[in-house]
Amino acid sequence: MDELSGAGISALCQLLGIRESDLRRAKKQTRFVYVEKTIIDKKSRKPRHLCYPRKESLLYQIQGQLKDKLLSRIPLLDEVRGYRPGSHNVSTAALVCGRRSLGIVDFAQFHPSITARQVVDALVAHGLSYSWAREIARLVTYNDVVPQGASTSNHIANIVMDHFLREFVKPFADSLRVRFCNFGDDIAFFANDHRAVEKCVRVTKRELRKSGFRVNNQKTRVYTHSGGPRCFLGCSTARNEPDYPREKYRAFRKELRELLYREQNRICAEPITSFKDICSIKQRIAYVKRLNPKKASRLRDLYFRILAARRSEVCASYRKGPTEPPNVAGVPAR
């Protein structure tokens, strides 16, 4: 981190490739360029409160530079697995499979619970100067907290979480021989010693509250049974290896079959599925392939049949014409 610990603001601007006047303008924009809105999550059907700067603003551009040239280069613990390239929630959950005891600590409103003071402390602990840390905290926070939706928020959350794990969690868990991993707003402890896992969860909850975080008690719990349908980060810990859930696979297959039927029986020249729909289906099948190639192969067959049906101008029955002759006036229909 020596190359990232410059002491002057001019050095920070030089690293980001911007002028000092641009930095001052961006800090002023933090008061009025943010967009706040609430959306419904497609998977959980729960409301999500997003807050992010407008794409045409200077602040948005500088946040992108800050993320690529500085924040992504800060080293993190291997246990911090959320929002990182090559890391997936299913592969993270695979680490927990087969353990006798599993404890989960869940944050309530993770990003908005991180304050600018915590951002400064975490950046300084990772080797940045106070001047750099203060300027960065001004650029990545809104109303003194980390907004959920900005391009830098995930990286900042990882850095703050890494600082917390290094300072409180890792030394204690290592002393009890308990492994742990973090993915976003979840910290999972796993081992064969149930009492040790229970103690890690209890101590972590206490330290989180002392640090100013809020704990979601409804999702924070300790599992004591092995081999059952325990869920962590989207994967059942009863499996030896990660897999695509059968219920989701069957629902996806049913969706493709219905879409294929509609394409094969349409009576208009234009296909029912748009190009965007086709790209979405292709990406979803690629996701299934990473978990179960056999299931993906069956879905891919339906995908190619849908493509073939889209290339057809109209359905076969429409091209052949009606099966019954038209009812001409004065001539009864058969």
Side-chain angles (χ1 to χ4, degrees):
M1 288 300 301
D2 293 338
E3 69 276 11
L4 299 181
S5 57
I9 302 303
S10 59
L12 176 61
C13 294
Q14 184 178 0
L15 176 67
L16 300 180
I18 61 176
R19 296 172 296 183
E20 292 188 38
S21 59
D22 293 336
L23 183 64
R24 290 192 294 268
R25 285 176 53 202
K27 288 190 295 184
K28 292 180 180 179
Q29 287 185 356
T30 57
R31 297 192 297 266
F32 57 85
V33 299
Y34 275 89
V35 177
E36 297 183 71
K37 67 178 182 180
T38 301
I39 63 172
I40 302 298
D41 189 86
K42 294 182 179 180
K43 294 183 179 180
S44 64
R45 309 304 302 173
K46 296 181 180 179
R48 292 185 60 199
H49 306 287
L50 300 181
C51 181
Y52 54 89
R54 295 185 179 90
K55 292 185 178 181
E56 63 272 13
S57 65
L58 178 62
L59 177 63
Y60 177 85
Q61 300 174 12
I62 292 182
Q63 282 186 350
Q65 294 288 92
L66 185 63
K67 177 188 66 174
D68 297 334
K69 296 185 178 181
L70 186 96
L71 299 179
S72 60
R73 297 172 58 189
I74 295 179
L76 304 174
L77 290 172
D78 293 337
E79 287 83 358
V80 180
R81 301 177 61 90
Y83 318 123
R84 301 181 71 176
S87 177
H88 193 268
N89 60 344
V90 177
S91 61
T92 301
L95 298 174
V96 189
C97 294
R99 299 291 178 172
R100 184 172 299 175
S101 183
L102 167 67
I104 298 176
V105 179
D106 186 82
F107 291 77
Q109 296 184 355
F110 181 39
H111 286 175
S113 65
I114 302 175
T115 64
R117 180 71 257 179
Q118 292 172 326
V119 174
V120 172
D121 293 341
L123 292 174
V124 171
H126 282 83
L128 273 67
S129 66
Y130 274 102
S131 59
W132 279 33
R134 287 193 299 267
E135 295 298 322
I136 293 172
R138 285 282 305 275
L139 293 171
V140 301
T141 58
Y142 175 65
N143 288 338
D144 203 41
V145 298
V146 175
Q148 182 174 355
S151 59
T152 54
S153 295
N154 291 342
H155 289 75
I156 291 295
N158 272 356
I159 293 170
V160 172
M161 182 53 56
D162 180 87
H163 174 54
F164 176 80
L165 295 177
R166 288 178 190 267
E167 190 171 359
F168 300 108
V169 177
K170 186 172 177 57
F172 187 76
D174 290 346
S175 66
L176 297 178
R177 297 182 180 180
V178 175
R179 297 184 61 189
F180 68 93
C181 59
N182 161 253
F183 198 99
D185 58 354
D186 287 324
I187 303 177
F189 299 92
F190 49 98
N192 293 327
D193 187 349
H194 172 67
R195 291 185 178 180
V197 171
E198 195 174 36
K199 188 178 293 185
C200 286
V201 171
R202 184 171 61 252
V203 171
T204 301
K205 287 171 60 178
R206 183 185 65 200
E207 295 298 334
L208 282 172
R209 292 191 176 101
K210 286 183 179 179
S211 300
F213 293 102
R214 286 175 290 177
V215 179
N216 188 348
N217 291 319
Q218 295 182 348
K219 295 184 179 180
T220 299
R221 61 189 66 185
V222 180
Y223 300 91
T224 58
H225 57 287
S226 60
R230 300 173 297 174
C231 293
F232 167 59
L233 303 178
C235 178
S236 173
T237 59
R239 303 187 183 99
N240 292 327
E241 296 180 356
D243 188 17
Y244 191 73
R246 179 173 177 79
E247 293 78 10
K248 291 185 178 181
Y249 162 73
R250 296 185 66 178
F252 191 11
R253 184 181 62 182
K254 180 180 179 181
E255 177 186 342
L256 294 183
R257 285 176 174 174
E258 292 177 351
L259 193 57
L260 175 62
Y261 177 82
R262 291 172 58 192
E263 285 288 1
Q264 290 177 337
N265 292 274
R266 73 177 193 274
I267 58 175
C268 57
E270 293 294 329
I272 297 175
T273 54
S274 64
F275 179 74
K276 184 177 180 180
D277 296 332
I278 292 297
C279 292
S280 175
I281 293 173
K282 185 178 180 180
Q283 293 174 357
R284 291 167 63 187
I285 294 176
Y287 170 76
V288 177
K289 184 179 179 181
R290 295 189 333 196
L291 306 177
N292 193 313
K294 291 184 178 180
K295 291 179 180 177
S297 177
R298 302 187 188 104
L299 297 175
R300 198 182 302 112
D301 177 66
L302 291 172
Y303 167 75
F304 285 120
R305 292 174 64 185
I306 292 174
L307 289 181
R310 288 181 80 252
R311 285 192 289 267
S312 174
E313 293 185 357
V314 290
C315 67
S317 60
Y318 182 78
R319 286 195 300 267
K320 292 178 181 178
T323 54
E324 295 291 335
N327 187 7
V328 182
V331 180
R334 295 181 181 179

